[in-house]
Amino acid sequence: MTDTGPTSPALTMWAADRASAALGMVVDDVGPGRARVSMVVRPDMVNGYDICHGGLVASLADSAFGLACNSHGTVTVAASFTIDLLAPSRLGQTLHAEAREVFLRGRSGLYDVTVRADDPEAGEVVAEFRGRSRSLGRPIEPDRPADG
């Protein structure tokens, strides 16, 4: 994994992210305005059709988005997002969400996330996500809640 340094602000935020940890997500790469996160589809993640639950695909994309938009060192939260589910993902597949900054001005940002199955660069695209972020205007500090 590459990152913006040993005390990357995005990784400080990630260390306290219990939801992503519970889903088995792993940070593969993070840097200014970008991140890649992966997750293996487990038996408890599939729906009644044996397809990974769409909400969990969205959670993976949202986690990559969160890392990318917090990579600049200020506490930043999601203002909105949309996701298009394009293909099913199945039990045992590894999903890779790659987030990239599209626009950043003042406290507002726009990020795109592509979720692929199996191969992070050439795998089938299973979802496209677009997130809008809003900075709270203060630095990320260890042991301080985002709303505190």
Side-chain angles (χ1 to χ4, degrees), residues 18 21 28 30 39 42 44-45 48 54 81-82 87 101-102 104 109 115 119 129 134 137 145 148:
R18 292 183 300 273
D28 298 317
V30 63
M39 175 181 81
R42 305 181 312 223
D44 61 336
M45 296 176 167
F81 72 78
T82 60
E101 190 173 87
V102 174
L104 183 63
V115 180
D119 184 320
F129 171 110
R134 184 73 175 164

Side-chain angles (χ1 to χ4, degrees), residues 9-62:
L11 293 178
T12 297
M13 183 238 7
W14 182 265
D17 185 343
R18 292 183 300 273
S20 295
L23 292 171
M25 293 181 197
V26 174
V27 177
D28 298 317
D29 183 48
V30 63
R34 63 178 172 74
R36 190 171 63 237
V37 178
S38 59
M39 175 181 81
V40 175
V41 179
R42 305 181 312 223
D44 61 336
M45 296 176 167
V46 296
N47 63 22
Y49 296 113
D50 244 6
I51 296 170
C52 185
H53 194 288
L56 297 176
V57 175
S59 292
L60 175 65
D62 187 37

Side-chain angles (χ1 to χ4, degrees), residues 43-124:
D44 61 336
M45 296 176 167
V46 296
N47 63 22
Y49 296 113
D50 244 6
I51 296 170
C52 185
H53 194 288
L56 297 176
V57 175
S59 292
L60 175 65
D62 187 37
S63 291
F65 164 54
L67 276 167
C69 66
N70 278 277
S71 67
H72 298 293
T74 57
V75 175
T76 304
V77 297
S80 68
F81 72 78
T82 60
I83 187 165
D84 292 302
L85 302 168
L86 305 173
S89 47
R90 308 253 178 221
L91 179 65
Q93 286 187 305
T94 300
L95 301 181
H96 304 271
E98 185 167 356
R100 61 211 163 277
E101 190 173 87
V102 174
F103 174 84
L104 183 63
R105 181 176 295 153
R107 296 170 106 184
S108 298
L110 188 66
Y111 294 78
D112 285 342
V113 183
T114 299
V115 180
R116 295 180 181 274
D118 297 323
D119 184 320
E121 295 177 15
E124 180 179 26

